[in-house]
Amino acid sequence: SACSASRIQGAMANETLANGEIKVSDDKTPPGSPDLEPMKPICVSCGPSSPLEEEAILALKEAAPSVNSISISEMLPRTADLLFMNVTTLEGQTYCVELCGKGYRVASARQDCMNGDFRQLDLHTRYFESIYQLLDTLSPRHREKFASSLADKLANIRPKDDN
């Protein structure tokens, strides 16, 4: 692939080639290890490589206007069935969010971290169906900004009176 943004994370061994691409080799995987299918890189020209990654990219685009920052973690493992996102709310709170087949879940109150706070089990064990549902729970300012944005969009599509 000619993609300069090539990056693969997970249980696979990788080697950086002279041209900047990453060569993936699983010959160093210990015997008895689960046969995880590594993710292909996220790249604008390459496109997403799994339905879960596609969901994550859509969530990034949709949630970006109503959070301080949101991105897919480059530090934590990523497979076709699991990935992690870093979110900073408008209130300045940071979270690491797990995305898997069950939905979105707060993994930690720290970015690039999978260790949840045992004092907040109700938050760290609850799965949300959408990024909006998760952000509604975490960020009151997200709710306000999202509602305002939605009202503006609805006002713009309302038919104009020609009189």
Side-chain angles (χ1 to χ4, degrees):
S1 165
C3 177
S4 61
S6 292
R7 182 173 59 251
I8 297 178
Q9 299 174 357
M12 307 303 280
N14 27 12
E15 170 187 342
T16 303
L17 303 175
N19 66 1
E21 290 189 20
I22 296 177
K23 177 182 173 187
V24 178
S25 168
D26 62 336
D27 59 6
K28 295 181 183 172
T29 304
S33 294
D35 187 19
L36 297 176
E37 196 173 307
M39 290 296 295
K40 294 177 185 163
I42 295 177
C43 173
V44 175
S45 61
C46 302
S49 59
S50 77
L52 191 71
E53 192 172 84
E54 194 172 307
E55 166 78 16
I57 290 169
L58 286 171
L60 293 175
K61 290 177 183 177
E62 292 175 359
S66 56
V67 296
N68 278 346
S69 67
I70 186 167
S71 63
I72 294 176
S73 174
E74 296 181 14
M75 303 287 293
L76 297 177
R78 189 176 80 221
T79 70
D81 301 318
L82 173 74
L83 61 80
F84 294 89
M85 301 166 66
N86 292 318
V87 178
T88 303
T89 64
L90 293 172
E91 293 83 4
Q93 296 293 315
T94 59
Y95 296 96
C96 183
V97 175
E98 169 192 303
L99 175 58
C100 68
K102 291 181 179 182
Y104 296 84
R105 178 184 73 86
V106 175
S108 176
R110 295 184 317 201
Q111 294 190 348
D112 293 319
C113 180
M114 294 185 286
N115 302 329
D117 183 349
F118 68 91
R119 294 168 294 180
Q120 295 182 323
L121 282 178
D122 57 322
L123 179 63
H124 295 287
T125 57
R126 181 177 173 196
Y127 284 90
F128 298 88
E129 291 182 20
S130 71
I131 191 70
Y132 297 116
Q133 188 183 32
L134 174 98
L135 290 173
D136 281 350
T137 301
L138 299 178
S139 174
R141 288 184 61 199
H142 158 76
R143 279 193 303 272
E144 293 166 9
K145 191 164 185 173
F146 182 78
S148 173
S149 173
L150 187 58
D152 290 346
K153 287 178 183 176
L154 289 172
N156 288 334
I157 61 170
R158 190 177 317 153
K160 305 281 190 246
D161 190 7
D162 292 333
N163 294 336

